[in-house]
Amino acid sequence: MTEVALRAAEATALAHAMTAHIAREAGIRLLSIKGPVADHYGLRAPRVPADSDVWVEPSRFSEMCERLEARGWHLRVGRETPALLPQHSRTFIHDSWPCDIDLHWMFPGFFADASVAFDAVWETRSSIEVAHTAVAVPSLAGSAVIGMLHALRNTQDARHRQERDLLTTMLIERFSASDRAEFSRIARRGGAVWVLRDVITRAGLGEVVSDASDNEKRRWTLFQAYVEDGSAVSWWVQLRGAPLSQRARLLARALWVPRADVPRNDPNVLPTRAEAWRYQRSRWARGGRALLRYFRRERERERVDAAAS
């Protein structure tokens, strides 16, 4: 039988349809998010996504992972590393598919319990057709909250700033009163008011409350400032906060990636020693540049704060 290569747009649409079918068969609540959903509502300029983002009810996340693995999907090889924001998803790949599936158990920017945030979006869900399959999706308001949280994670990027501005304009000028009220309800139930404080204020959607802890605010702000350098900065933040007795071991782990843990798609192919060394040197160079940027910006921030006090 001749194999037909899927184009990226076809593959991502089929991945949404496939995950919806798998979840429906198992009675798992699952929402397609971003990608075709944002395009359907006109919440961003159309583009072909590199992956398919889906959000599964947190209590069934492990089961959904197992069901994908039973169909030949698997994780990339790589070790867990510190992150400024909590890990929120697992990325699955398949040898025959030219796209990833990003399976979420939470969405960054919602600081309420993951199940509470999922339920807040699920309760007002809708349905659209993707690849001739009905898939559950957030409502217009729910998709706007998700889109805004995603855009606000990286306001250093021009495309994310454009999406933020488009969403803000739509919310203020084009959403109905009921859609605006629903946007506010989802943000409040999901613990996203502090993150969305600027748009909530501009849109006149009620009181801005502090629904994130000081640590959550600090990490969100750090992530926004150093989104491109997140890995190196995360290691530094963890190292600074670790007890002295653990710092040597943690530093060694930060500096050295065992050959078996070098990131790659095929778990059965071990990198050569030369490939592992190239990866290691490239990683040290990227990390060094990232930390230099971090130290310079932190010194400048401290100088500005001192001048203002």
Side-chain angles (χ1 to χ4, degrees), residues 108-177:
F110 286 118
F111 286 116
D113 180 83
S115 295
V116 172
F118 179 86
D119 288 346
V121 178
W122 174 263
E123 286 171 8
T124 58
R125 70 194 178 280
S126 184
S127 177
I128 65 173
E129 186 174 285
V130 180
H132 307 290
T133 302
V135 302
V137 301
S139 64
L140 171 61
S143 295
V145 172
I146 289 169
M148 185 65 79
L149 291 175
H150 180 67
L152 288 173
R153 286 167 60 195
N154 184 9
T155 53
Q156 297 177 42
D157 178 74
R159 192 186 76 196
H160 284 80
R161 291 196 302 272
Q162 290 166 2
E163 291 177 1
R164 174 202 61 193
D165 294 344
L166 173 62
L167 285 163
T168 302
T169 299
M170 291 185 68
L171 180 64
I172 294 170
E173 299 179 4
R174 303 182 202 172
F175 277 30
S176 67

Side-chain angles (χ1 to χ4, degrees), residues 49-62:
D51 56 12
S52 297
D53 288 88
V54 293
W55 189 3
V56 64
E57 58 180 308
S59 63
R60 307 287 298 275
F61 179 79
S62 295

Side-chain angles (χ1 to χ4, degrees), residues 79 81-82 231-232 235 251-257 263 276-290:
R79 59 180 185 162
T81 57
S231 179
W235 279 111
L251 179 61
R253 188 165 179 267
L255 290 173
W256 186 257
V257 178
W277 265 110
R278 277 197 299 273
Y279 169 77
Q280 202 75 260
R281 289 195 297 268
S282 171
R283 183 172 173 272
W284 289 336
R286 290 195 312 272
R289 290 192 297 269

